[in-house]
Amino acid sequence: MTPRELLGVAEVPGGEPLRLFRRGGDFMIVLDRNELMSTRMSGSEVALGTMTCDRLGDRPAPHLLIGGYGMGFTLRAVLARLGPKAHVTVAELVPGIIEWARGPMAALTDGCLDDPRVTLAMGDVGNAIYAGRGQYDAILLDVDNGPDGLTRPANDGLYSARGLDEARIALRPGGVLAIWSAAPDPVFTRRLGRAGFTVDEVKVRARENGKGATHTIWFATPR
């Protein structure tokens, strides 16, 4: 087996550091012994973007907020679906993630961060949600491992009752809150309902070829 090559370490504010590895042509971002994401398993991150756009319909100038750049799969999927008047704000907490995107993973990034429709906001996506009352047509959260997080305790606030209230307030009428998770969470599904959302829970495969682990995406629309 081809050995993994460590390319870099990124500090996470309030959490454990992330490590970027390369094995052959594949990249992996790892927390301790947990592989958080890799270029081999991008299907559910792509689905988060495409399925959200499908639910928005034909809006002439939508504004989307993506929480967590990751490896950029969701951002690139969204940009491929949206028209020239769209606006996408990407909130990323970890500077090292963006350094990797512009450095060793630049070929994968394919210039998406320099698209004129994209604004990069370094910082906690929770702050962008709180400040964005009625501003977003969609909020897409791929933060940590979902509601049952691994990387940073402060991320739990995004999925709390208060965090969901703030997300609902930040959405425009008919907007969509889309949340990625590595696993189902019935307690969180009920919490979304109590927060005033109509919820569609969708199972998607980790790989774009329809194989691999099954991940969960919640698509929640304010009632």
Side-chain angles (χ1 to χ4, degrees):
M1 178 181 291
T2 304
R4 295 194 309 185
E5 175 190 2
L6 177 63
L7 299 181
V9 178
E11 297 299 324
V12 178
E16 296 298 316
L18 302 176
R19 289 173 169 80
L20 176 67
F21 290 93
R22 178 171 54 202
R23 176 183 286 135
D26 295 319
F27 294 92
M28 295 138 279
I29 294 178
V30 175
L31 171 70
D32 194 13
R33 297 182 180 180
N34 296 295
E35 185 177 291
L36 297 182
M37 63 195 81
S38 80
T39 52
R40 293 177 292 105
M41 292 186 287
S42 60
S44 58
E45 286 85 355
V46 171
L48 176 64
T50 58
M51 296 175 77
T52 299
C53 289
D54 289 345
R55 282 162 170 75
L56 285 178
D58 188 19
R59 300 191 180 200
H63 186 182
L64 282 65
L65 172 65
I66 296 178
Y69 172 81
M71 291 184 169
F73 292 113
T74 299
L75 174 59
R76 292 190 292 279
V78 162
L79 292 175
R81 288 291 185 98
L82 297 176
K85 295 183 179 180
H87 182 198
V88 183
T89 299
V90 178
E92 175 54 58
L93 180 69
V94 182
I97 292 285
I98 302 303
E99 292 171 7
W100 294 340
R102 297 191 184 279
M105 290 194 288
L108 175 69
T109 301
D110 195 27
C112 66
L113 288 169
D114 300 315
D115 189 296
R117 296 170 291 175
V118 174
T119 298
L120 178 61
M122 296 305 303
D124 193 324
V125 67
N127 295 334
I129 292 172
Y130 180 77
R133 294 171 177 263
Q135 182 174 339
Y136 303 113
D137 294 278
I139 299 171
L140 298 79
L141 296 180
D142 184 0
V143 176
D144 213 319
N145 224 32
D148 185 17
L150 290 172
T151 64
R152 180 173 176 261
N155 289 334
D156 293 344
L158 294 171
Y159 307 109
S160 68
R162 179 177 178 179
L164 294 176
D165 283 342
E166 291 175 352
R168 179 173 44 78
I169 292 169
L171 288 170
R172 292 173 177 168
V176 178
L177 172 64
I179 299 173
W180 181 97
S181 178
D185 188 332
V187 172
F188 181 68
T189 302
R190 293 193 292 271
R191 190 182 304 151
L192 277 168
R194 290 195 298 269
F197 290 96
T198 298
V199 184
D200 181 17
E201 183 176 339
V202 179
K203 306 298 183 185
V204 293
R205 290 288 186 177
R207 296 177 183 266
E208 287 196 80
N209 63 4
K211 298 181 179 180
T214 300
H215 296 157
T216 298
I217 303 176
W218 292 275
F219 296 96
T221 53
R223 291 195 290 267

